[in-house]
Amino acid sequence: MSRAAFGVGVLGLLAALCVGTLYGAAHIPPDHVFGIVAQRLGLSGAGGWRPWEAIVVLDVRLPRVLVGAFVGGGLAVCGLVMQSLFRNSLADPGVLGVSSGASLGAVIALCTNWAARSEWALPACAVVGAAATAGAIYTLSARRGHIHVGTLLLVGVAVGSFTSAATSMVLSLALANYDTGRQIVFWMLGGLDARTWQHVLLIAPPTLMAVAIAMIHVRDLDALLLGEIQAASLGVDVPRCRWRLIGATSLMVGAAVAVSGVIGFVGLIVPHMLRLLLGPAHRLLLPTCLLVGAAFIVLADLAARTLIAPEEIRLGIITASVGAPFFLWLLLKKRADGVI
Amino acid sequence: MRSLSFPVILGLAALALLFLGGGAGRAALLDSRFVRDSVVVGQAFPKQLVDPAGTALELPRPPQRIISTFMAGDEMLAALVDFSRIAGVSPLVDDESSGCAGQIPPSVPRVRVECESLLALEPDLLLVASYTRAETVRQLVAAGVPVVHMGQFSTMEDVTKNLRLVAAAVGSERAADQVSAEVDQRVAKTAAKVGGLPKPRVLYCTAAGFTFGSDAIIDTMIDLAGGFNVVREMGISGPTRVSPEAAAGLQPDVVLLSAKETGDRSAVEEFLRYGAWGALFRGSSTRIVSVKSAWLLSMSHHGARGVEAVARLLHPEAFAK
């Protein structure tokens, strides 16, 4: 079962990456797309495609689908880790307020026009916002070096509400300038348009690192499902494990928000869906979450850019409108089956 | 050990990418890839276009597939080149506030600022403004498309400078000279009529309260038309929003609205029906006037007509002579 599920995940992601690269706002014949990629990989010579087709495939679509894959996979893994860590089925990457902090940083970059001056301004501000929020939450919830999970969650909610309010204030001030206000609103709805290879290089390391750290702790996460005391009795260093995982997920969420805006639901739906299908063992669940989350965002982005092409639906709208009903259907089905 | 192999591989991959990404990041920062104004070098083709990233590109011949992504760019192209050379215009080109509404044939694609769609039209010149999404501009520049970026639209000098920049890129310098001369002449003629007259206090405003302080083309228009933009007193530059209460507190002599046509009374009535504007200004000494939006809101040469139209409304006595 485990190998089969992982294999299906790998094949699903590869298929999603292929389809995501094949289709877009402009029509490029599939044989041209494959030829362009093969030529870049040194597997074939030049074909009969036009120069703009190669630019679109190599510099527009490929970085876009890869950024989508890293964001989706990373957010799904973060959601899984947080749900297990907090033993709370509602936990997702936004629960600690880190997403809101990253949003605030990015909105400031847009409002002050820094984002127009340097392509690194927005990602840098988002990561700084995420890190500052995580630091504030840690400082506020730690007492003599000890952290109570309930306090941590409540502080996260409070800090998240504060940063959301600050974001709304910046937005309301920026709305006087139509163009800036429009950019901020569009960014807050989440999207992957105009992503480049530099965005791939920005999102890939934190995603891979966060996944690597989570993978190191798969047994600890299994134990934590039983409760912190039980996990400690099984030899888990709970405080160290908790802060490694919170640090990793904060970094990952900050990087994801920096490159794609706020994309909801994937961190909630994918882990839930897979846990219902595969059971609670993290050794299988975690890599499968990575693959399915990646495929989910790549396909959602494909829908976002092709459904009403050349117009685009914002990715956050697609993930919410597709993910929420599916999640509800799955829950109702399992309840009808008596599983939950 | 075996269970650690997957995370170890991921970690090593992440470190490798961090190294690569850090290098790319440093290179980008050192390149200082700010989106800057373009420059065209040379009197005759082949010319050099210095694009928004500071890269010099050769324009071997007058571009034949030109795309404009914003309204003022559409208006400039309509004045400078044969429509057969236009490969795309902004979707706003047909709006009533466009100075070239109804001029560009429907066969010319209306394109939004989206990288794939723009590249698919194979442009050999692309016009973008400071308010075009910077990330998309960078992507188009990186794709090797010759991009003309215009950053300033606050004064009539900016307008003619932008017009001449586009003209230099498309090889229509003579047409630009003619249009610029008309702009200068119209503005000078207006200035001569209103010079020395007392400056009425003017508030440009929409029903939703959007207005402009200094460093905006409307501020320049009001000034050239012999008025004083009261929003300047708030110490605000660029676009902003005022409440009806704050607007009344500025004590304008004239409230300036944009409308389909100059003197459109229905626009004035609509404004007075919206929110508290009517309660504050109906029956007051403040005059509420409207000017054709294609002139008043234009950031191209059509703005000169806006200057004249505003001056006629602020100083009717000067034009009656």
Side-chain angles (χ1 to χ4, degrees):
Chain A
M1 176 62 186
S2 67
R3 286 194 176 188
F6 191 78
V8 169
V10 170
L11 288 177
L13 177 58
L14 286 175
L17 290 173
C18 273
V19 177
T21 312
L22 280 172
Y23 298 100
H27 173 70
I28 303 175
D31 57 318
H32 287 195
V33 175
F34 286 120
I36 289 162
V37 176
Q39 189 202 14
R40 174 52 64 95
L41 294 173
L43 302 174
S44 72
W49 51 83
R50 301 185 67 83
W52 72 266
E53 293 179 325
I55 294 170
V56 166
V57 171
L58 297 174
D59 295 323
V60 179
R61 289 187 191 170
L62 271 178
R64 182 172 182 150
V65 295
L66 288 176
V67 169
F70 280 114
V71 167
L75 289 177
V77 168
C78 287
L80 174 69
V81 168
M82 289 194 164
Q83 284 161 23
S84 303
L85 202 58
F86 300 132
R87 298 187 309 282
N88 187 326
S89 57
L90 290 176
D92 82 333
V95 75
L96 284 183
V98 179
S99 298
S100 307
S103 294
L104 177 61
V107 166
I108 288 171
L110 287 166
C111 187
T112 53
N113 223 24
W114 294 340
R117 292 181 187 162
S118 165
E119 58 203 297
W120 291 93
L122 195 149
C125 285
V127 171
V128 167
T133 309
I137 292 166
Y138 174 81
T139 308
L140 292 168
S141 51
R143 193 174 178 187
R144 291 177 194 163
H146 179 74
I147 303 245
H148 183 259
V149 169
T151 310
L152 184 73
L153 281 171
L154 288 173
V155 169
V157 169
V159 172
S161 302
F162 178 78
T163 47
S164 294
T167 304
S168 300
M169 193 187 78
V170 175
L171 177 61
S172 66
L173 292 174
L175 277 177
N177 186 331
Y178 172 76
D179 294 302
T180 307
R182 187 193 57 175
Q183 280 198 42
I184 292 173
V185 170
F186 264 48
W187 182 85
M188 286 176 77
L189 291 172
L192 295 172
D193 49 324
R195 299 304 88 181
T196 64
W197 285 105
Q198 286 183 330
H199 292 102
V200 178
L201 290 173
L202 188 80
I203 184 69
T207 305
L208 294 176
M209 277 187 172
V211 174
I213 292 168
M215 280 301 293
I216 289 169
H217 288 283
V218 284
R219 287 181 187 166
D220 301 339
L221 285 168
D222 286 341
L224 279 166
L225 286 176
L226 302 169
E228 287 191 2
I229 295 169
Q230 287 81 352
S233 71
L234 290 170
V236 176
D237 184 347
V238 175
R240 197 172 76 159
C241 168
R242 183 197 297 140
W243 283 111
R244 274 189 184 178
L245 291 171
I246 288 174
T249 49
S250 296
L251 176 69
M252 168 60 222
V253 171
V257 170
V259 298
S260 64
V262 182
I263 296 174
F265 277 92
V266 62
L268 192 67
I269 294 163
V270 174
H272 265 294
M273 184 185 79
L274 291 178
R275 196 179 279 117
L276 289 169
L277 293 171
L278 301 175
H282 286 84
R283 193 167 173 215
L284 171 62
L285 205 49
L286 203 142
T288 316
C289 261
L290 177 74
L291 297 169
V292 174
F296 176 70
I297 287 295
V298 170
L299 293 175
D301 180 55
L302 177 67
R305 60 195 154 104
T306 53
L307 281 179
I308 54 166
E311 295 294 325
E312 270 192 29
I313 305 169
R314 302 306 294 174
L315 181 56
I317 298 169
I318 295 278
T319 55
S321 54
V322 172
F326 181 76
F327 180 59
L328 280 174
W329 170 80
L330 203 63
L331 274 179
L332 293 173
K333 185 173 180 296
K334 288 288 171 186
R335 192 172 68 178
D337 294 346
V339 177
I340 54 173
Chain B
M1 185 64 197
R2 204 178 149 199
S3 65
L4 281 180
S5 58
F6 181 57
V8 166
I9 290 166
L10 284 180
L12 288 174
L15 285 174
L17 280 166
L18 259 183
F19 179 74
L20 286 170
R26 280 193 299 278
L29 289 170
L30 288 173
D31 280 352
S32 185
R33 292 171 72 88
F34 295 162
V35 178
R36 65 188 88 178
D37 286 0
S38 302
V39 178
V40 177
V41 182
Q43 298 297 316
F45 289 96
K47 296 179 181 179
Q48 263 202 343
L49 170 70
V50 182
D51 73 12
T55 310
L57 301 168
E58 191 185 75
L59 296 175
R61 63 192 73 81
Q64 300 299 312
R65 295 194 58 77
I66 310 163
I67 295 180
S68 160
T69 59
F70 63 107
M71 191 192 280
D74 302 338
E75 292 169 350
M76 285 187 257
L77 281 187
L80 294 175
V81 301
D82 189 90
F83 295 155
S84 63
R85 292 172 60 192
I86 303 177
V89 286
S90 80
L92 290 172
V93 73
D94 303 312
D95 191 84
E96 65 180 36
S97 60
S98 166
C100 57
Q103 290 181 31
I104 309 284
S107 56
V108 177
R110 274 61 175 161
V111 288
R112 57 185 283 274
V113 185
E114 191 276 319
C115 207
E116 275 195 37
S117 310
L118 289 171
L119 288 171
L121 289 169
E122 299 184 79
D124 52 9
L125 194 75
L126 190 76
L127 308 186
V128 301
S130 51
Y131 45 88
T132 309
R133 191 173 175 197
E135 286 170 319
T136 308
V137 174
R138 287 197 186 95
Q139 207 170 23
L140 290 162
V141 167
V145 177
V147 172
V148 174
H149 178 269
M150 287 158 268
Q152 292 295 320
F153 297 89
S154 302
T155 65
M156 294 312 288
E157 287 76 26
D158 291 337
V159 164
T160 49
K161 187 182 157 201
N162 291 335
L163 188 76
R164 289 183 190 282
L165 172 66
V166 174
V170 301
S172 301
E173 288 89 341
R174 194 171 292 176
D177 287 343
Q178 199 179 335
V179 176
S180 296
E182 283 173 22
V183 168
D184 293 341
Q185 196 181 4
R186 199 178 286 272
V187 170
K189 211 169 157 182
T190 305
K193 283 189 182 289
V194 301
L197 295 175
K199 287 177 175 275
R201 295 170 61 79
V202 182
L203 171 70
Y204 164 77
C205 198
T206 68
F210 289 103
T211 184
F212 292 87
S214 58
D215 198 23
I217 191 74
I218 285 189
D219 178 73
T220 302
M221 282 187 192
I222 292 171
D223 184 52
L224 290 172
F228 172 74
N229 180 11
V230 288
V231 182
R232 277 174 166 255
E233 290 179 349
M234 298 169 80
I236 289 170
S237 68
T240 189
R241 197 174 178 188
V242 291
S243 65
E245 189 182 327
L250 291 168
Q251 297 179 298
D253 300 314
V254 179
V255 173
L256 195 58
L257 307 175
S258 66
K260 193 173 179 182
E261 291 298 336
T262 301
D264 184 353
R265 287 307 302 171
S266 64
V268 175
E269 282 307 314
E270 197 177 322
F271 174 76
L272 290 172
R273 278 197 300 270
Y274 192 92
W277 297 111
L280 289 166
F281 290 118
R282 196 183 290 279
S284 75
S285 59
T286 303
R287 280 196 297 142
I288 303 175
V289 297
S290 62
V291 173
K292 184 173 176 168
S293 57
W295 298 345
L296 186 63
L297 303 179
S298 173
M299 292 194 286
S300 74
H301 52 284
H302 293 288
R305 288 178 176 274
V307 172
E308 189 182 347
V310 174
R312 283 180 181 276
L313 290 165
L314 298 185
H315 300 285
E317 71 286 356
F319 290 86
K321 291 172 193 169

